Amino acid sequence: MKPAASVLLLTTLTGFGYGLLAWLALFALLGLLPASRWFMPVGVVVALGFAASGLIASMLHLGRPERAWRAFSQWRSSWLSREGVASLASFPPALGFAALWWGMGPAPVTVIVGLVAGALGLVTVYCTAMIYASLKPIRQWNNKHTAPNYMLLALFSGAMLMALLLACWTGQAGLAGLLVLLAGLLAAAAKLAYWRFIDTQKPLATLASATGLTRYGEVRPLDAPHFTENYVLREMGYQIARKHAARLRRITIATAFLLPSLLALLAGLGLVPALLIILATLLTAMGLFIERWLFFAEATHVATLYYGR
Amino acid sequence: MTSLPTPDPGAKKLGLVIDLDTCVGCHACAVNCKEWNTGGHAAPLPDYDPYGKEPDGVWFNRIHSYEAGCGEASRTVNFPRSCLHCENPQCVTVCPTGASYKRVEDGIVLVDMDKCIGCKLCSWACPYGAREFDELAGVMKKCTLCIDRIYNETLPAEEREPACVATCPSRARHFGDFNDPESKVSKLVAQRGGVELMPELGYKPVNRYLPPRQAQIQTAPRERAAEGGNKLLRLLDKVLSR
């Protein structure tokens, strides 16, 4: 599948933003946030900024962005529509969370509104994952790994932002550093399990079953219907990634998970926390972008069987 | 509404039968489809760079050719590919806007191009690669089963069939109601063992493909030709065979 920049930005940025929102709510519940009137509201603005940037980026890949409002209507059947509804629904409680904190501090009502916002954010990430996980013609997406992967990656990248905010605000990463380490190792394990799974999957169909010619056994393409790429091949016949997949996977594991986790651990132990966490966040952003590029580029669509791909 | 309609057992189930035995791979169906539909319900079907080095455009039929099997039993199969108007079309249910829909009354899968936001998700959900995006209008386009021909009362009754069916020079394409066991398409499927494409994906396509016939015209082996008829030849054969 073609890794369009808009969907790469959508899926990574909303992961960062909604992951952070979830951790802000949890930290508020556990009383782990700095006793500042400003820290939490600033955190919410950062979280919503990431989420909104991702959502706006995804609108840019629409053929008719001015009609985007119509996408809120089909939540009964469409995960894309559900994603839109959930993301829109997350904004009022998130803003309420920030306002209540600013006005009342960590009162029970603040925490409850915060937990609602955090949950809606994670629901949005789940809906995004299910857009891909529900597509039957793409075996690398339509499996049990896709949704947990998206959730874990969102929680990991959110923890990274949380550590970044804390390190810059208080000069210490503390507990958040440990959280990054834990989430990073978990996310890396999930990603490795996903890759092992897609490498051992069998193709969904054969050219023989796609053409109804199973009686003949093997079927081979002879003449293509057209001699240039058409929409189907441009959108779904993307082949560039497969050549470099193994190396890019190693780069992903190192830059997205292992190095940042190590840096976060050192920061947690008190070694130039702000500097190390900034470096770790940049590495994670880069690594997750490559990871998401692979998620698309490595995905094969069953319709390309007709073209012998 | 992109939830699928509750199936009405009495409703028509319109679709195509494509005969892979008689298709000669001439692309006439693709061309006549393009010609009709660029002025029809889904109009226009754009072409990009039509006279340049990389011509491309929106087509609702793509005609592949395949080699099936090996050795004496192998053959070339021409294979027209178009929307199969599935009974369980995921292209419809993934649509976030309600632009993609399946008609209750005849099962035709259509796009309301005034509602489509061009997210392309429906094309990802189609295992048959049947939907093609109109890059100029920013909306998705697909086969309409020539909805503007089959119900068109300004056309003579015999012309109320899809453009691809009407033009096929080898009569390899047939149109009809699969819910009527007496229809031509139902009978063809029953007689010739019409098959679904990729049944394992569960989309329940309506269109059926008729596999190439296996029966060949039996001819006597040529080296035994002298056994019949001419007495002189038989005598010569006997003498020479000594």
Side-chain angles (χ1 to χ4, degrees):
Chain A
M1 302 297 293
K2 186 172 87 182
S6 51
V7 278
L8 300 187
L9 287 172
L10 161 77
T11 55
T12 47
L13 293 179
T14 51
F16 271 102
Y18 285 128
L20 174 60
L21 190 63
W23 287 119
L24 282 169
L26 197 67
F27 272 49
L29 176 72
L30 300 174
L32 295 171
L33 290 176
S36 153
R37 198 176 191 189
W38 288 102
F39 180 84
M40 225 291 298
V42 167
V44 168
V45 168
V46 170
L48 293 184
F50 270 90
S53 316
L55 295 166
I56 290 166
S58 77
M59 274 179 56
L60 296 180
H61 95 286
L62 298 180
R64 302 296 292 256
E66 78 279 9
R67 297 177 182 169
W69 58 272
R70 288 188 180 275
F72 297 116
S73 66
Q74 301 303 311
W75 48 269
R76 286 181 202 81
S77 69
S78 164
W79 283 105
L80 178 50
S81 185
R82 287 171 199 162
E83 178 200 43
V85 171
S87 68
L88 200 69
S90 72
F91 276 71
L95 292 170
F97 182 33
L100 286 169
W101 181 281
W102 196 81
M104 302 165 60
V109 61
T110 311
V111 172
I112 290 170
V113 172
L115 288 173
V116 170
L120 282 170
L122 292 182
V123 167
T124 309
V125 174
Y126 181 73
C127 291
T128 305
M130 287 308 293
I131 294 172
Y132 305 110
S134 66
L135 291 173
K136 283 197 267 184
I138 304 162
R139 64 180 169 84
Q140 289 89 346
W141 296 354
N142 184 225
N143 60 60
K144 284 177 184 158
H145 287 260
T146 302
N149 258 238
Y150 267 81
M151 303 299 286
L152 282 169
L153 292 174
L155 288 172
F156 164 62
S157 51
M160 186 55 96
L161 279 187
M162 188 77 196
L164 179 73
L165 282 177
L166 282 169
C168 291
W169 198 277
T170 65
Q172 287 172 347
L175 192 67
L178 204 65
L179 190 68
V180 168
L181 175 71
L182 210 69
L185 294 179
L186 234 113
K191 201 68 225 183
L192 286 170
Y194 165 80
W195 284 327
R196 189 183 314 165
F197 176 78
I198 63 167
D199 288 345
T200 53
Q201 259 181 319
K202 286 195 188 80
L204 286 176
T206 61
L207 184 51
S209 77
T211 52
L213 297 169
T214 42
R215 196 171 69 200
Y216 287 88
E218 199 200 343
V219 177
R220 298 172 299 281
L222 191 62
D223 288 326
H226 39 89
F227 59 89
T228 57
E229 299 276 285
N230 69 339
Y231 167 74
V232 171
L233 287 176
R234 271 183 277 121
E235 188 76 6
M236 293 165 241
Y238 198 82
Q239 289 182 303
I240 296 168
R242 299 170 206 175
K243 193 172 151 196
H244 301 296
R247 179 165 296 168
L248 286 171
R249 286 180 182 184
R250 286 197 292 274
I251 293 174
T252 298
I253 289 294
T255 57
F257 307 113
L258 295 187
L259 281 173
S261 298
L262 190 70
L263 292 174
L265 177 69
L266 293 175
L269 294 172
L271 190 71
V272 281
L275 193 69
L276 286 192
I277 292 285
I278 289 172
L279 192 61
T281 310
L282 290 175
L283 278 172
T284 297
M286 191 182 86
L288 286 185
F289 202 75
I290 300 172
E291 178 273 323
R292 215 49 54 91
W293 189 86
L294 276 174
F295 178 75
F296 281 86
E298 284 195 286
T300 55
H301 195 286
V302 76
T304 58
L305 273 180
Y306 287 109
Y307 290 90
R309 289 196 181 174
Chain B
M1 179 60 102
T2 59
S3 297
L4 294 177
T6 318
D8 172 1
K12 283 189 285 187
K13 199 161 92 180
L14 298 182
L16 302 174
V17 161
I18 296 174
D19 190 343
L20 298 181
D21 192 67
T22 53
C23 174
V24 293
C26 70
H27 293 238
C29 50
V31 174
N32 201 38
C33 163
K34 177 90 168 172
E35 167 67 20
W36 175 267
N37 282 295
T38 203
H41 178 86
L45 303 194
D47 287 310
Y48 324 118
D49 196 21
Y51 306 105
K53 284 183 178 167
E54 298 270 331
D56 179 18
V58 176
W59 295 72
F60 295 159
N61 275 277
R62 299 288 188 177
I63 320 305
H64 300 255
S65 290
Y66 298 111
E67 240 177 351
C70 289
E72 277 187 35
S74 71
R75 59 175 294 164
T76 304
V77 180
N78 300 301
F79 183 86
R81 181 171 57 83
S82 58
C83 173
L84 307 168
H85 297 278
C86 301
E87 286 186 73
N88 186 19
Q90 215 196 350
C91 59
V92 169
T93 52
V94 299
C95 175
T97 68
S100 213
Y101 63 104
K102 185 169 177 70
R103 284 160 51 106
V104 192
E105 60 270 39
D106 51 20
I108 297 178
V109 176
L110 288 178
V111 177
D112 180 342
M113 280 153 292
D114 292 331
K115 285 186 185 161
C116 176
I117 58 173
C119 71
K120 302 178 182 169
L121 189 56
C122 55
S123 66
W124 295 6
C126 173
Y128 307 103
R131 290 176 171 237
E132 299 206 4
F133 189 66
D134 179 340
E135 312 276 357
L136 303 182
V139 296
M140 193 57 72
K141 300 212 162 156
K142 71 175 291 300
C143 161
T144 68
L145 209 61
C146 282
I147 194 156
D148 39 15
R149 287 181 64 94
I150 59 178
Y151 294 116
N152 192 337
E153 291 183 359
T154 62
L155 291 177
E158 64 275 17
E159 285 181 28
R160 290 177 207 163
E161 56 182 3
C164 58
V165 175
T167 200
C168 179
S170 61
R171 293 274 180 272
R173 301 182 73 118
H174 308 270
F175 163 71
D177 178 10
F178 285 83
N179 208 17
D180 171 9
E182 294 304 309
S183 70
K184 183 174 68 179
V185 287
S186 297
K187 285 182 176 166
L188 274 171
V189 168
Q191 286 163 9
R192 299 271 309 279
V195 293
E196 278 180 40
L197 304 185
M198 284 193 267
E200 60 270 44
L201 267 87
Y203 282 62
K204 294 171 78 182
V206 169
N207 287 8
R208 289 285 191 279
Y209 284 74
L210 306 181
R213 289 181 177 90
Q214 278 193 308
Q216 302 290 322
I217 298 166
Q218 297 296 324
T219 51
R222 291 192 181 173
E223 59 267 57
R224 281 158 58 212
E227 282 176 13
N230 197 311
K231 279 184 182 172
L232 180 64
L233 284 179
R234 264 189 296 180
L235 181 66
L236 276 171
D237 183 48
K238 230 174 191 175
V239 172
L240 292 170
S241 297
R242 286 190 176 178

